[in-house]
């Protein structure tokens, strides 16, 4: 690939200066994704339910924006949407909807013990996406 083509592709997929929200961003996959965006020059806001975890995670990846939020409730989604709009001046470019939970069962589980929780998380995921996309993106 030529240098010109490489440069063109780099600018086409650049996230430098883009505003990014990463839910579930205080650890695991969410933290890795947030770190990648920070390293690529994006303006990143990480969120999770635990304020101390958010603060510690933000410090480790040099991310100035973090907030504790609980997106399992409508009120929590509304509060997060307002915070995102405030931090990013009503402009969000990328939403990484990574919030979730685990109860320690293997993936190949046969029980239905927490089966309903799967459905609740599916709905919450849609609610967060709708709120942020409709009001900020």
């Amino acid at each position: 690939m030529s240098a010109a083509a490489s440069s063109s592709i780099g600018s086409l997929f650049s996230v430098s200066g883009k505003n990014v929200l990463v839910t579930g961003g205080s650890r695991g996959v969410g933290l890795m994704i947030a770190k990648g965006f920070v390293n690529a020059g994006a303006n990143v806001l990480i969120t999770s339910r635990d304020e101390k975890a958010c603060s510690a995670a933000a410090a480790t990846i040099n991310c100035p924006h973090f907030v504790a939020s609980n997106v399992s409730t409508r009120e929590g989604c509304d509060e997060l949407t307002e915070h995102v709009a405030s931090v990013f001046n009503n402009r969000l470019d990328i939403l990484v909807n990574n919030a979730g939970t685990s109860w320690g069962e293997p993936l190949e589980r046969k029980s239905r013990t927490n089966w309903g929780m799967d459905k609740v998380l599916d709905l919450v995921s849609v609610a967060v996406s709708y709120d942020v996309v409709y009001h900020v993106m």
Side-chain angles (χ1 to χ4, degrees), residues 31-71:
L31 181 58
M32 289 183 269
I33 291 169
K35 181 179 180 181
F37 278 116
V38 167
N39 290 343
N43 307 310
V44 178
L45 169 63
I46 62 172
T47 185
S48 77
R49 291 174 291 180
D50 185 333
E51 186 169 3
K52 288 181 183 177
C54 279
S55 175
T60 64
I61 64 170
N62 199 27
C63 177
H65 306 292
F66 65 91
V67 64
S69 67
N70 185 350
V71 295

Side-chain angles (χ1 to χ4, degrees), residues 66-134:
F66 65 91
V67 64
S69 67
N70 185 350
V71 295
S72 69
T73 67
R74 181 68 189 182
E75 181 179 271
C77 291
D78 290 343
E79 289 171 0
L80 178 59
T81 299
E82 288 175 21
H83 187 77
V84 170
S86 172
V87 168
F88 292 142
N89 197 26
N90 289 316
R91 190 183 126 231
L92 181 67
D93 301 300
I94 301 166
L95 168 64
V96 179
N97 198 6
N98 181 62
T101 190
S102 172
W103 41 86
E105 280 189 292
L107 289 175
E108 64 276 359
R109 70 179 190 247
K110 300 291 183 194
S111 77
R112 293 286 190 174
T113 305
N114 289 307
W115 183 80
M117 184 59 112
D118 294 344
K119 301 304 157 205
V120 169
L121 288 173
D122 290 346
L123 292 173
V124 166
S125 189
V126 170
V128 171
S129 299
Y130 171 79
D131 248 11
V132 172
V133 169
Y134 182 75

